[in-house]
């Protein structure tokens, strides 16, 4: 996998651990609730990842976009489907989203190249 | 249908017509592109409405939320599915989303009551 | 109390009840976590209300501002203290905050007039 | 002038007075700085009103949009010029801007009808 | 030209090409519409670049700010004029804009130094 | 002190100087007003730093978060108090704040390690 993504995942894991070990109960519960929001419920988990991707893109958060792209690839979405979801985000959020679109395409290419 | 929604739809239609008749080519093309973004492509139209709803909710736009709720109901989503999508938006966007969540529930109730 | 605030509180209570009764566990837990975030912890509850007010103001949510103003008045803050907090929000968030500043002053005046 | 705009201007004037009379020096200075930002400098005042309009539109603040539309009409901009500026805001900010675009067109029509 | 800007422009060109070659018609059309929004219409192209700069600054997107600064320099704006536009963005958007203001000044200095 | 923070402070100081020396009176006055907003008034300076931290976190600006963390540490806040303030920001702003939470914890750890 591309080293930028490896670094992101290592940093994310290390700092999430740091945050959770700091012992704030509210933060710990928020993280659990965040994880649970993407588990299958009335909607299936696969659909929810796409919702997370589009929400992250219109709010313009690169780390969140990368995280949800990783999940979307794991969930088996094709590039065409992911591009189609990103197009919705682009229309809703406008040209200010374009730098994040470029980055999302780069991340997706890195994810597809990885063994 | 609840009168708040009737009024919104009438205002939306009247002013969209006004905007499009003003003759700005760029705006006209944007509106067409906006419509096309929710048509079936690599993703089906039904899924895209849900993406539009979540994007509108995290960006906290009541008119956009109402519009996509109308579309989601037309697309056959159950209340449970819509609540599950709104929960993703709530987790991503935080408590600042709650006033829009209250409003979305009210809109959904109005839509279900309509003949 | 001013009727605008009465109406807001009645609507908020009624729709929160509606949202919670819809039975989505994630949403229910988020509401509980939201309430808990303002309870005394390492910081006292009084300080946290002020944090909630400033966060709501820079994010420009009138309902959230009104809610936290009600709490700040209950917590015993003077007008001068609340204005000083709103000034921080104004500097951080810029002139786009001004319409919410006008509204916050109006809400505060309504709250002070109520018996 | 349309009564919605009259009401907005009366409310704006009354509450700005209220805010300024509350005696917070920082807020008073911010208001003065805000006024000064639109006076002629390296750029002329006319151009600056258009900048204020576009900034208000991409940040999606109806009161700010209305205020700058009033100023843009006073500065002598034609409808075509204002629509062209709003188109830039629409492209930058995306479809989430559309409800504010509808409202801006309505405000502009009200302003043109007034004696 | 400063290497940070060279790198940005090379990355932007390479990834825009990648995005456009992926074949999503909606995205392709959005890019064309985005380009067209800055061409002369009722407003001249020069004024529109300034609108793009201020919109990008209040929305706090460094890549967008850099892009529009490059265009503003090409359009012949002086530093004083650009600073005056950035001041409008600072007042509208508040101190949260300051990190982007520092960066914009740095970019502008790099652009002026280039042969 | 951790080198990332040293670099940030050096860059911040150098570029603030550059911005102020450019001679735009409005920008200069805004910087002065920004500084004054955190001085003791009706609220003490210590409380205002916490307001600045939470405002910066919900608006998701890393540089602003780092700056206010430095000030909060100088003002004598414990880690537990800062985590409790960040929890309010997390609840208000949602999971989109999490990347900034990770970064804030890292910055705080760097600040505590410095001699």
């Amino acid at each position: 996998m591309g080293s930028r993504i490896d670094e992101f995942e290592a940093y994310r894991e290390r700092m999430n651990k740091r945050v959770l070990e700091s012992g704030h109960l509210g933060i710990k519960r928020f993280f659990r609730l965040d994880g649970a929001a993407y588990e299958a419920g009335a909607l299936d988990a696969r659909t929810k990842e796409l919702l997370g991707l589009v929400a992250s893109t219109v709010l313009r958060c690169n780390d969140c976009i990368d995280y949800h792209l990783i999940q979307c690839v794991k969930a088996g979405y094709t590039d065409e489907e992911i591009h189609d979801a990103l197009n919705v985000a682009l229309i809703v959020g406008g040209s200010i989203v374009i730098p994040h679109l470029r980055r999302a395409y780069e991340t997706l290419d890195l994810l597809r190249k990885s063994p």
Side-chain angles (χ1 to χ4, degrees), chain A:
Chain A
M1 199 176 291
S3 70
R4 170 162 75 69
I5 294 168
D6 288 341
E7 272 170 39
F8 163 66
E9 290 200 303
Y11 178 80
R12 186 179 171 277
E13 189 178 354
R14 176 164 58 84
M15 290 310 301
N16 276 1
K17 196 160 168 287
R18 171 73 189 89
V19 169
L20 293 174
E21 284 175 359
S22 74
H24 194 290
L25 198 61
I27 294 177
K28 198 178 289 187
R29 283 182 177 153
F30 186 92
F31 273 61
R32 217 180 303 145
L33 217 48
D34 181 28
Y38 297 96
E39 289 167 12
L43 297 170
D44 57 274
R46 199 174 126 81
T47 300
K48 287 177 166 191
E49 280 308 329
L50 218 56
L51 299 177
L53 175 64
V54 167
S56 301
T57 307
V58 297
L59 289 174
R60 303 189 280 128
C61 171
N62 277 340
D63 281 2
C64 310
I65 293 169
D66 282 357
Y67 173 76
H68 285 292
L69 281 173
I70 294 168
Q71 300 307 110
C72 283
V73 166
K74 280 186 190 160
Y77 283 108
T78 64
D79 281 10
E80 285 69 27
E81 288 170 322
I82 292 172
H83 296 162
D84 212 18
L86 291 172
N87 179 51
V88 172
L90 176 64
I91 280 289
V92 174
S95 70
I96 208 82
V97 164
I98 289 179
H100 305 275
L101 190 72
R102 284 195 284 263
R103 161 102 173 191
Y105 267 75
E106 188 190 60
T107 296
L108 195 52
D109 286 348
L110 289 169
L111 290 168
R112 296 303 187 191
K113 261 184 241 162
S114 73

